[in-house]
Amino acid sequence: MLGGIWILWDEDNIKIHAIEMQKQYIHCEVEGVGARKWMFTAIYASPRERERKDLWENLKEIAKRITRPWMLAGDYNDIRDSDEQTGGGQENYAKWRRFSENIEECLLLEVSTEGPKYTWKGPVIGHARRLYKKLDRVLCHADWRNIFCEAQVQIGPRLQSNHHPLVIHITHPTMQQKCQALSL
């Protein structure tokens, strides 16, 4: 599998502790962003469906035992519906349903993004139109979203990759009490 997982941050007071590292994800504890520690899982899902199934089995196990706010981000190598793809071949409703069911089973919400609709540019095969998909996204538990309600996800410019990077802006929790009151 090409590519990999990078976790980058720009504050000296932020501490990220890797708890579990697998081929398709790095599960971490984050300290120094917000009033309490929270969990972050960086995803780089396999293009092979069988391996993605293993990823989701692992994520479901993490979801069962997690007790802190949780955010996941990265390349899931799947889409939820036809609106997340243009060009390419046949639609696969069963595959889309499985992806959505996995997200729901882990009690995850999608964080909306700003920028290009599609995060991945595929090849042109034969005379078909180039394939574009939204493979990259940010998911979270409701408790993470309540704490970081001002968080924004920007789809960055695609440079040397066929993917656009995800840039997650998490504001310092000075607005935390106001945000929590608005979510009640």
Side-chain angles (χ1 to χ4, degrees):
M1 180 163 41
L2 297 173
I5 299 173
W6 288 27
I7 302 172
L8 307 169
W9 60 96
D10 66 357
E11 294 288 330
D12 291 335
N13 59 339
I14 296 173
K15 293 182 176 89
I16 298 182
H17 308 281
I19 294 173
E20 182 179 353
M21 290 186 281
Q22 298 286 334
K23 184 176 176 181
Q24 299 182 82
Y25 67 90
I26 300 174
H27 184 61
C28 307
E29 178 184 74
V30 178
E31 186 177 0
V33 180
R36 63 186 217 195
K37 296 175 184 177
W38 52 276
M39 308 310 289
F40 171 63
T41 306
I43 305 291
Y44 184 65
S46 172
R48 293 175 286 282
E49 193 166 353
R50 174 69 205 135
E51 290 179 19
R52 283 197 309 279
K53 183 178 179 189
D54 294 340
L55 165 68
W56 280 104
E57 292 307 314
N58 289 339
L59 293 177
K60 288 174 192 177
E61 286 302 314
I62 291 171
K64 286 178 189 175
R65 66 179 189 264
I66 203 150
T67 59
R68 293 195 173 137
W70 186 28
M71 188 257 288
L72 306 85
D75 174 5
Y76 292 84
N77 245 313
D78 256 324
I79 62 173
R80 297 183 85 169
D81 59 45
S82 62
D83 191 43
E84 294 186 350
Q85 171 180 323
T86 187
Q90 293 182 336
E91 298 179 343
N92 190 331
Y93 299 104
K95 189 174 159 186
W96 301 341
R97 187 177 64 249
R98 276 191 307 276
F99 183 47
S100 290
E101 287 170 354
N102 285 329
I103 291 170
E104 291 167 15
E105 192 171 333
C106 290
L107 303 175
L108 298 171
L109 309 168
E110 185 153 356
V111 180
S112 61
T113 58
E114 297 176 15
K117 181 176 185 175
Y118 307 109
T119 63
W120 175 79
K121 178 177 90 171
V124 175
I125 299 172
H127 296 292
R129 287 187 3 220
R130 183 180 297 276
L131 177 61
Y132 293 91
K133 291 184 178 185
K134 179 182 179 178
L135 299 179
D136 308 271
R137 62 187 76 232
V138 175
L139 303 171
C140 67
H141 270 168
D143 57 347
W144 187 91
R145 193 65 182 148
N146 284 336
I147 293 168
F148 298 107
C149 62
E150 299 291 320
Q152 298 177 343
V153 180
Q154 181 70 42
I155 306 296
R158 189 173 38 77
L159 300 172
Q160 298 296 319
S161 172
N162 57 354
H163 287 264
H164 290 267
L166 299 175
V167 181
I168 305 165
H169 301 279
I170 302 174
T171 57
H172 224 299
T174 55
M175 300 290 290
Q176 189 172 3
Q177 295 301 325
K178 181 178 178 184
C179 293
Q180 287 179 344
L182 292 174
S183 69
L184 299 176

